[in-house]
């Protein structure tokens, strides 16, 4: 009578059909999982996938742990790769759970691949930790684990992994950074030389001097107006980009500038638009186009300056910039740093975010606006009345420090500095915007290791924008994150009348709040270092009158200081475009330049908002 060994021999000799014939008669009498497992292997080799799944599941019923979990994972693996599109999402969820429970690398890799499509799923950390142990030299796994640990506020992982990474980088071992996305790098590292090595940007054709020369020197027909093209997938009015950019866009002088938006905003997001797009001018949708079609559409408009508003951020199509689309290519607003391998002549910034010392770390030349690189919309941005502390469940008798940046910015550096502030001011309360029970528990546990009790912490969920602006006003002041500052969040706080304290940083992302505060006339809220930051926070905690004066200043200057003066900002931006075009027409290579400042505005620009409301 044929045996399991005979079936294995046939299978090994590439005779799966003969092996199946033997195994089909053995399964009923074979007490262990071996016969069913081999049957699954043979059916898989024959591409009889449903049968293979059933065989692996039967084998799992006969097996002990950990083999049982591995067999269930193999059944899930085959089912997922059968291209049969399971009817129910719940079934996919079960498959992924089975894969995640496995100890087999290929199963865990498949689980990670699926889970990374929804990185909020806490199971992704467990899978990546398993892969990290099984593949200790896989830098993609390592850096993805770190990135997701920041998203989930998993400080236990960060405390274990980040010091090891820093030690390697300090020793000059930087090859691993090729697997780190640039946007992930700025969340924890402010060394611009290291930021530039974060090179996981997908399959973008590397730029060369020859490519740039071809683009800049190609024949071009200039017109009476400067033709500006903006490239983005964030063109809907409730996106942070449009809360900044919207009223600048509509302030462009139509007598001098012809503006086109090349939009690849997904249709599902356009469904959330509140109607603002109709006022933004000429919008060409390239969302359904491939790159060749999109490039042709852009070229057809004979654009003079193409401005990429995304850079190395989620959903980007910055690879389009590596085609000869316009004489001048610019990156602005989306990514706070150099956009490696993206063909841009200029990066728009200001003297704070782009000091001369940063130039060696950028391939772009600096276009520095005179007051602030960040535009802000004072016309359509909501300005709700302050929510009452009682309505928010906040104590009336404590100084409340708001920390409302994205939780992935709450780095180990940030948490350590916040802890020093809280220890120096034990009656102060830190009000953090953290979503999810796991993230909150992990955050509280980490603060405990830093000597901070739960009684000094209060967690707030994310909420709709107008309600968020109402609640932040219940705090006494806001505290920044490091090395990646609040960007839109800081300007939101200042718009709502809430002072923000920060400190000077080492790269663009770490200098944004300094730029915004200077544009509001509040440079005294920028500390020089960690010690002076704690001193600054303590001084505010202990001085209610100073806090009242700061809030009064913000309310008085909201419609007078440059930060929210979108019309003034637009005039500076247009002058920048003029200067870029002057060089391009003269066939001069791009070079660093500063835009001259306009005379100070006299009086308020509040009438812009009033005119819009009417």
């Amino acid at each position: 009578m044929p045996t399991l060994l005979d079936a294995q021999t046939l299978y090994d000799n590439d005779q799966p059909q003969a092996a199946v014939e033997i195994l089909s008669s053995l399964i009923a009498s074979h007490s262990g999982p071996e016969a069913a497992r081999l049957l699954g292997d043979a059916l898989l080799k024959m591409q009889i996938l449903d049968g293979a799944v059933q065989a692996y599941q039967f084998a799992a019923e006969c097996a002990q742990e950990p083999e049982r979990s591995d067999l269930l994972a193999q059944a899930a693996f085959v089912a997922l790769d059968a291209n049969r599109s399971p009817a129910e999402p719940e079934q996919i969820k079960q498959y992924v759970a089975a894969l995640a429970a496995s100890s087999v690398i290929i199963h865990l890799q498949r689980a990670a691949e699926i889970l990374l499509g929804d990185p909020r799923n806490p199971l992704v950390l467990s899978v990546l930790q398993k892969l990290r142990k099984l593949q200790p030299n896989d830098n993609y796994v390592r850096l993805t684990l770190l990135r997701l640990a920041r998203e989930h506020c998993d400080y236990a992982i960060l405390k274990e992994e980040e010091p090891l990474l820093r030690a390697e980088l300090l020793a000059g071992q930087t090859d691993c950074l090729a697997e780190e996305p640039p946007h992930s790098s700025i969340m924890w590292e402010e060394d611009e030389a290291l930021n530039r090595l974060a090179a996981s940007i997908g399959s973008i054709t590397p730029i060369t001097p020859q490519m740039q020369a071809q683009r800049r020197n190609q024949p071009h027909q200039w017109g009476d107006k400067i033709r500006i093209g903006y490239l983005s997938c964030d063109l809907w009015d409730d996106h942070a980009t449009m809360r900044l950019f919207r009223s600048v866009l509509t302030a462009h002088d139509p007598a001098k500038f012809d503006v086109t938006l090349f939009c690849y905003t997904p249709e599902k997001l356009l469904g959330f638009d509140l109607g603002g797009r109709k006022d933004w001018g000429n919008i060409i949708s390239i969302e359904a186009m491939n790159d060749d079609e999109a490039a042709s559409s852009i070229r057809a408009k004979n654009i003079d300056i193409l401005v990429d508003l995304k850079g190395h951020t989620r959903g980007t199509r910055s690879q389009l910039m590596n085609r000869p689309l316009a004489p001048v290519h610019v990156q602005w607003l989306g990514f706070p740093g150099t956009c490696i391998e993206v063909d841009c002549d200029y990066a728009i910034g200001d003297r704070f975010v782009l000091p001369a010392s940063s130039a060696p770390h950028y391939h772009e030349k600096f276009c520095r606006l005179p007051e602030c690189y960040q535009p802000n919309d004072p016309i359509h941005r909501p300005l709700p009345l302050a929510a009452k502390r009682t309505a928010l469940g906040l104590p009336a008798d404590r100084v409340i420090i708001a920390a409302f940046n994205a939780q992935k910015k709450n780095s180990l550096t940030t948490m350590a500095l916040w802890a020093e502030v809280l220890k120096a001011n034990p009656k102060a309360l830190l009000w953090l915007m953290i979503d999810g029970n796991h993230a909150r528990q992990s955050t509280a546990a980490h603060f405990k290791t830093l000597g901070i009790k739960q009684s000094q912490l209060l967690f707030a969920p994310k909420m709709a924008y107008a309600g968020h602006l109402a609640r932040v006003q219940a705090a006494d002041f806001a505290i920044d994150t490091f090395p990646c500052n609040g960007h839109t969040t800081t300007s939101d706080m200042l718009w709502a009348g809430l002072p923000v304290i920060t400190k000077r940083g080492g790269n663009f992302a770490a200098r944004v709040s300094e730029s915004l505060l200077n544009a509001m006339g509040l440079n005294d809220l920028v500390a020089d270092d960690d010690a002076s930051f704690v001193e600054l926070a303590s001084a505010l905690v202990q001085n209610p009158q100073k806090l009242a004066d700061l809030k009064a200043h913000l309310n008085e200057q909201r419609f007078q200081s440059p930060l929210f003066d979108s019309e003034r900002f637009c005039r500076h931006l247009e002058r920048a475009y003029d200067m870029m075009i002057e060089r391009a027409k003269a066939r001069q290579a791009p070079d660093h330049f500063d835009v001259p400042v306009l005379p100070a505005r006299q009086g308020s620009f509040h009438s812009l908002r009033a005119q819009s409301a009417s």
Side-chain angles (χ1 to χ4, degrees), residues 543-557:
N543 192 338
Q545 186 57 52
K546 175 65 173 176
L547 287 172
D549 291 345
L550 287 169
K551 289 188 174 185
H553 172 88
L554 286 169
N555 288 325
E556 290 167 1
Q557 292 296 310

Side-chain angles (χ1 to χ4, degrees), residues 87-363:
E88 298 292 336
E90 187 61 32
Q91 191 168 25
I92 297 177
K93 184 178 179 180
Q94 292 172 0
Y95 288 157
V96 173
L99 291 168
S102 178
S103 59
V104 178
I105 288 176
I106 194 170
H107 296 158
L108 294 168
Q109 289 173 332
R110 187 74 173 97
E113 177 187 333
I114 297 169
L115 288 166
L116 287 171
D118 180 18
R120 295 169 296 180
N121 189 327
L123 190 58
V124 70
L125 290 180
S126 173
V127 170
L128 289 170
Q129 283 181 289
K130 284 186 175 182
L131 283 171
R132 176 81 174 109
K133 291 178 180 177
L134 292 168
Q135 299 176 290
N137 297 320
D138 188 322
N139 285 314
Y140 171 78
V141 169
R142 178 191 198 182
L143 290 166
T144 303
L145 174 61
L146 277 164
R147 174 171 61 84
L148 270 297
R150 295 184 195 103
E151 296 272 5
H152 290 261
C153 300
D154 198 313
Y155 292 100
I157 293 175
L158 294 176
K159 285 166 66 177
E160 179 181 357
E161 293 285 351
E162 197 172 295
L164 298 175
L165 179 56
R166 288 194 181 279
E168 286 184 21
L169 298 178
L170 189 62
Q173 300 172 31
T174 59
D175 290 352
C176 63
L177 296 181
E179 299 291 346
E180 180 161 50
H183 198 263
S184 177
S185 173
I186 61 174
M187 293 298 138
W188 68 282
E189 178 57 68
E190 61 180 310
D191 183 329
E192 292 174 302
L194 294 176
N195 292 148
R196 185 161 181 168
L197 297 179
S200 180
I201 56 174
S203 55
I204 294 181
T205 302
I207 57 174
T208 65
Q210 292 76 20
M211 288 169 55
Q212 290 183 314
Q214 177 192 5
R215 172 179 58 78
R216 293 169 185 165
N217 295 321
Q218 66 183 340
H220 185 73
Q221 187 67 42
W222 304 97
D224 294 333
K225 299 180 183 180
I226 295 177
R227 294 177 292 261
I228 307 295
Y230 291 109
L231 181 65
S232 180
C233 65
D234 298 329
L235 301 175
W236 51 292
D237 53 16
D238 199 37
H239 191 277
T241 293
M242 296 312 294
R243 291 179 195 141
L244 302 179
F245 180 49
R246 180 174 175 177
S247 58
V248 173
L249 177 63
T250 55
H252 272 307
D253 183 352
K256 295 181 59 179
F257 293 88
D258 182 18
V259 176
T260 302
L261 304 181
F262 296 100
C263 172
Y264 52 101
T265 306
E267 283 294 327
K268 65 179 181 180
L269 296 180
L270 294 181
F272 292 104
D273 189 84
L274 302 176
R277 283 168 61 91
K278 70 181 187 303
D279 301 321
W280 300 347
N282 186 25
I283 301 178
I284 296 177
S285 175
I286 60 171
E287 198 265 337
M289 299 180 185
N290 62 34
D291 284 357
D292 289 338
E293 294 166 338
S296 295
S297 180
I298 295 170
R299 287 195 198 99
K301 294 298 292 182
N302 200 29
I303 296 298
D304 300 322
I305 300 177
L306 184 62
V307 184
D308 180 21
L309 296 174
K310 290 294 295 182
H312 295 309
T313 58
R314 183 179 301 172
T316 184
R317 290 183 71 177
S318 291
Q319 69 270 18
L320 287 169
M321 303 297 284
N322 287 8
R323 297 169 180 245
L325 301 182
V328 180
H329 283 189
V330 176
Q331 68 103 342
W332 174 48
L333 198 56
F335 181 71
T338 187
C339 287
I340 61 166
E341 301 300 356
V342 177
D343 181 14
C344 286
D345 302 304
Y346 297 99
I348 295 179
D350 57 48
R351 63 189 175 92
F352 298 103
V353 296
L354 292 179
S357 59
S358 293
H361 305 294
Y362 281 69
H363 73 84

Side-chain angles (χ1 to χ4, degrees), residues 295-447:
S296 295
S297 180
I298 295 170
R299 287 195 198 99
K301 294 298 292 182
N302 200 29
I303 296 298
D304 300 322
I305 300 177
L306 184 62
V307 184
D308 180 21
L309 296 174
K310 290 294 295 182
H312 295 309
T313 58
R314 183 179 301 172
T316 184
R317 290 183 71 177
S318 291
Q319 69 270 18
L320 287 169
M321 303 297 284
N322 287 8
R323 297 169 180 245
L325 301 182
V328 180
H329 283 189
V330 176
Q331 68 103 342
W332 174 48
L333 198 56
F335 181 71
T338 187
C339 287
I340 61 166
E341 301 300 356
V342 177
D343 181 14
C344 286
D345 302 304
Y346 297 99
I348 295 179
D350 57 48
R351 63 189 175 92
F352 298 103
V353 296
L354 292 179
S357 59
S358 293
H361 305 294
Y362 281 69
H363 73 84
E364 307 94 338
K365 299 300 183 182
F366 291 174
C367 162
R368 302 198 303 189
L369 301 179
E371 291 166 335
C372 185
Y373 87 98
Q374 188 192 89
N376 277 279
D377 179 7
I379 298 175
H380 307 95
R381 210 179 203 142
L383 188 56
L385 295 174
K388 301 295 185 182
R389 283 194 175 188
T390 52
L392 297 169
L394 300 174
D397 59 346
R398 297 182 71 175
V399 173
I400 297 177
I401 305 172
F404 284 149
N405 283 324
Q407 60 196 45
K408 64 186 175 183
K409 295 185 179 183
N410 298 346
S411 64
L412 292 176
T413 299
T414 297
M415 300 288 276
L417 193 52
W418 287 354
E420 292 304 310
V421 170
L422 293 175
K423 283 188 281 190
N425 301 279
K427 292 186 178 180
L429 180 70
L430 185 64
W431 191 21
L432 300 102
M433 189 173 70
I434 305 283
D435 256 357
N437 289 333
H438 173 79
R440 292 178 180 180
Q441 291 168 4
S442 180
T443 300
H446 182 63
F447 267 120

Side-chain angles (χ1 to χ4, degrees), residues 43-44 46-54 78-79 81-84:
L43 291 170
L44 179 59
M46 296 168 65
Q47 288 297 295
I48 303 175
L49 301 180
D50 286 340
V53 170
Q54 293 174 15
V78 175
D81 282 357
N83 297 317
R84 292 183 296 112

